[in-house]
Each structure stands twice: as structure tokens, then as C-alpha cells.
């Protein structure tokens, strides 16, 4: 959500939609709000919850007009830039997935995707398999080391 903090128009759009949904007690907006809240409550993973909730809450907003649809697409894009995998948050930075814990490590090591070193790392840290499965470009913190997996 880091890039959204610099996008005042997107923040204003989200705030306006949220304020409108909170106050609606009947009609399409109220139904969209209830669906959004249920999606947040009952999703198995936080990323699924964010995507599903955002889609539901923006559904009525997006049907209003072409400009509103474009704004809804822009806002929804922010929810697709993060994932919660096996207890860790990852944020997309271009084509790379960055572990939120990566800033705490003291060492840094570069590992080529699909190389012998890559599979050695996986053998040494089998718990990292779900995180490494995010893609070919992952910045991952294990113990006190940040591993930069690159293609």
C-alpha cells in the first residue's frame, strides 16, 4: 500500500466510498457494504479477503459511470500489490515480491532462481517453499539474512 500513500486521488476515492457505504442502511450500497464486510470476515487468507472485499465494495461504485469504473480499477489495483503467504506479508515492487521482514536482516545474499544454490537454500529452509513459490524474483528474509532471488 506504500504507493497508495502518494496517490491522494485514490486515497480520497477510497475514503469517499467508505464513508458513503458506512452511512447507507438500505439499497445497493448497503448490500455491497454487507457483502464487503462478509468477504473480509470469512476469507481464508488476508489477500483473498482484501481482493474480495474490495471487489464487493467497489461493485456498485464501478457500475455508476465510466469514470467511476476507471477509478474503481485504479483503487482495486492497490489491493493486488500485497499477499499474505504462510504467516508473512509480501509486497510487490515491480516484478519482485518483497518480504516485509526483509528490512530487519543484517546480511544479504543473491541467489539465482532455479540454480543449485536456490535448491540448497530450499533444502536448508523447507519452510520457505511457499514464499519462494511467489515467483522468480523474491526478496526473502530467513534468520538474519535477506536472500534476493532473481531470474
Amino acid at each position: 500500500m506504500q504507493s497508495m500513500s502518494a496517490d491522494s486521488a485514490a486515497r480520497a476515492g477510497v475514503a469517499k466510498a467508505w464513508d458513503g457505504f458506512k452511512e447507507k442502511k438500505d439499497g445497493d450500497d448497503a448490500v455491497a457494504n454487507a457483502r464487503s464486510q462478509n468477504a473480509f470476515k470469512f476469507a481464508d487468507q488476508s489477500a483473498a479477503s482484501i481482493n474480495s472485499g474490495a471487489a464487493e465494495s467497489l461493485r456498485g461504485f464501478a457500475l455508476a459511470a465510466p469514470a467511476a469504473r476507471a477509478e474503481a480499477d485504479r483503487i482495486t489495483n492497490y489491493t493486488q500489490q500485497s499477499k499474505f503467504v504462510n504467516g508473512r506479508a509480501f509486497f510487490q515492487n515491480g516484478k519482485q515480491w518483497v518480504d516485509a521482514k526483509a528490512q530487519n536482516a543484517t546480511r544479504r545474499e543473491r541467489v539465482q532462481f532455479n540454480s543449485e544454490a536456490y535448491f540448497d537454500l530450499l533444502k536448508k529452509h523447507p519452510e520457505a517453499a511457499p514464499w519462494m513459490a511467489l515467483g522468480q524474483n523474491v526478496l526473502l528474509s530467513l534468520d538474519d539474512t535477506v536472500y534476493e532471488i532473481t531470474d
Side-chain angles (χ1 to χ4, degrees):
M1 301 302 266
Q2 197 172 31
S3 58
M4 188 175 191
S5 66
D7 191 341
S8 60
R11 282 195 331 269
V14 169
K16 183 179 177 183
W18 175 249
D19 289 340
F21 282 132
K22 284 191 311 185
E23 297 186 14
K24 299 281 182 159
K25 302 297 180 205
D26 56 14
D28 291 343
D29 289 344
V31 171
N33 185 35
R35 286 182 174 175
S36 173
Q37 294 303 315
N38 280 335
F40 284 130
K41 282 191 242 180
F42 299 113
D44 292 331
Q45 297 177 346
S46 64
S49 173
I50 290 168
N51 289 335
S52 182
E56 286 295 343
S57 64
L58 293 171
R59 187 166 70 163
F61 179 65
L63 295 174
R69 278 195 301 277
E71 182 66 16
D73 289 344
R74 193 165 139 235
I75 293 167
T76 302
N77 182 46
Y78 286 105
T79 66
Q80 297 170 347
Q81 293 177 352
S82 63
K83 290 186 179 190
F84 191 75
V85 178
N86 203 27
R88 289 219 191 159
F90 287 82
F91 303 94
Q92 193 171 23
N93 184 9
K95 64 179 188 172
Q96 183 181 52
W97 285 99
V98 179
D99 183 352
K101 292 184 175 190
Q103 61 196 6
N104 300 331
T106 57
R107 294 180 42 222
R108 189 176 189 107
E109 188 175 321
R110 194 171 195 158
V111 177
Q112 179 75 33
F113 176 76
N114 224 11
S115 67
E116 188 175 329
Y118 177 86
F119 290 106
D120 288 344
L121 177 62
L122 195 53
K123 285 178 195 170
K124 183 178 176 184
H125 293 280
E127 75 280 8
W131 306 319
M132 293 169 73
L134 283 169
Q136 297 179 8
N137 294 286
V138 179
L139 199 64
L140 175 63
S141 177
L142 296 169
D143 299 326
D144 65 340
T145 304
V146 170
Y147 294 93
E148 183 179 5
I149 300 167
T150 60
D151 56 358

